[in-house]
């Protein structure tokens, strides 16, 4: 920043910025999506993820992010629709990413409904509000099946949480099939 000022003549302010490569600028109404780092690309390849959010732009961006991680994505804009998709697709869904605060059937109610249909379904609860609204008994009662992630989350964060849940789910399923 350069300032030049003279009494009675005014002030000139010059701002200089370093040169850099041109980047794509989002058009009005177009959300900016930060590309996922190479180390997390395709970590969800072979998995189907159900993404549930009542905000259309958040849902659209989330679908795109999960696809960059390699997931097949099914989306729903309500808890009722999500429960119906779990009934329809059953064990073909590997993971649910579920908004905690939604009108009607909220995230906790949706998670309970999903677990009544598919016990042990891995769920990532997400919210832009304080984690304090998620009571400890919600996490404890569903044990290893549930994690919380604050919005906005990055591809690295969702991939790390998803990998952890999916790994625990596969280990649990393997131990159940070997003991049967």
């Amino acid at each position: 920043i350069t300032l030049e000022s003279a009494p009675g003549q005014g002030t000139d302010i010059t701002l200089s910025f370093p040169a850099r490569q041109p980047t794509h600028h989002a058009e009005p109404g177009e959300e900016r999506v930060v590309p996922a780092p190479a180390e997390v690309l395709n970590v969800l390849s072979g998995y189907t993820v159900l993404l549930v959010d009542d905000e259309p732009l958040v849902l659209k961006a989330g679908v795109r992010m999960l696809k960059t991680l390699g997931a097949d994505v099914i989306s729903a804009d309500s808890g009722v629709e999500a429960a119906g998709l779990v009934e329809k697709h059953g064990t073909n869904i590997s993971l649910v990413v579920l908004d905690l605060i939604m009108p009607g059937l909220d995230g906790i109610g949706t998670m309970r409904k999903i677990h009544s249909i598919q016990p042990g379904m891995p769920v990532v609860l997400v919210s832009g509000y304080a984690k304090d609204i998620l009571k400890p008994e919600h996490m404890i009662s569903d044990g290893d099946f549930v994690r919380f992630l604050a919005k906005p989350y990055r591809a690295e964060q969702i991939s790390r949480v998803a990998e952890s849940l999916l790994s625990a789910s596969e280990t649990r399923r393997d131990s159940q099939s070997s003991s049967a």
Side-chain angles (χ1 to χ4, degrees), residues 3-46:
L3 292 170
E4 293 179 18
S5 184
Q9 294 182 356
T11 302
D12 286 328
I13 301 173
T14 305
L15 301 174
S16 300
F17 298 95
R20 100 175 244 208
Q21 296 294 329
T23 59
H24 170 75
H25 297 284
E27 297 296 321
E30 177 187 11
E31 74 274 1
R32 182 175 170 267
V33 176
V34 178
E39 66 268 11
V40 298
L41 292 176
N42 296 317
V43 298
L44 295 177
S45 182

Side-chain angles (χ1 to χ4, degrees), residues 4 8 30 35-36 44 48 52 74 78 87 91 103 114 118 128 143 145 169:
E4 293 179 18
E30 177 187 11
L44 295 177
T48 299
V52 188
I74 301 170
S78 72
E87 283 181 339
T91 58
I114 288 170
Q118 287 292 325
F145 314 131
S169 176

Side-chain angles (χ1 to χ4, degrees), residues 47-130:
Y47 293 103
T48 299
V49 177
L50 172 58
L51 176 64
V52 188
D53 202 298
D54 63 312
E55 293 292 330
L57 288 177
V58 173
L59 191 61
K60 184 177 175 182
V63 165
R64 210 163 38 226
M65 181 186 295
L66 289 166
K67 284 184 176 185
T68 66
L69 298 176
D72 291 323
V73 183
I74 301 170
S75 63
D77 63 6
S78 72
V80 171
E81 183 183 5
L85 288 168
V86 170
E87 283 181 339
K88 178 181 178 182
H89 295 282
T91 58
N92 292 330
I93 297 173
S94 308
L95 175 74
V96 179
V97 178
L98 178 59
D99 187 19
L100 190 57
I101 306 298
M102 295 185 294
L105 189 58
D106 68 2
I108 297 299
T110 303
M111 179 183 68
R112 296 280 189 251
K113 180 72 174 161
I114 288 170
H115 282 164
S116 73
I117 300 164
Q118 287 292 325
M121 173 72 71
V123 175
V124 180
L125 291 169
V126 296
S127 179
Y129 297 97

